[in-house]
Amino acid sequence: MQPWSPSIENDLRHLRNEWDPIGVADDVQDEYDCMLAPMLQRLCGGANETEIGEFLRHEVEEHFGLGSLGLRPEAMAIGNWRGV
């Protein structure tokens, strides 16, 4: 069983779609769902902003094949994810 509720998952999905690093969230609401469970596991495990930023940077660069220049994944990690 997951240590988070559906409302927390939905909140995280909303934040991630607002960030929308590849610009498709308006059309494809589940594009970033591959990041949900790993992100929530990190948050539940006490990951800090640096670790969250590194995870997001890796996902943007390796999984989605984008350069992270200008996307500032570490800025998205600071504070926003902690509210989930």
Side-chain angles (χ1 to χ4, degrees), residues 35-47:
M35 288 193 267
L36 274 178
M39 179 65 67
L40 288 165
Q41 289 170 342
R42 283 169 174 76
L43 290 169
C44 289

Side-chain angles (χ1 to χ4, degrees), residues 43-71:
L43 290 169
C44 289
N48 63 33
E49 285 88 3
T50 300
E51 293 166 323
I52 299 298
E54 288 171 359
F55 169 75
L56 293 172
R57 181 176 305 281
H58 177 268
E59 287 298 298
V60 168
E61 292 176 347
E62 301 298 324
H63 181 81
F64 292 100
L66 299 176
S68 62
L69 184 64
L71 292 177

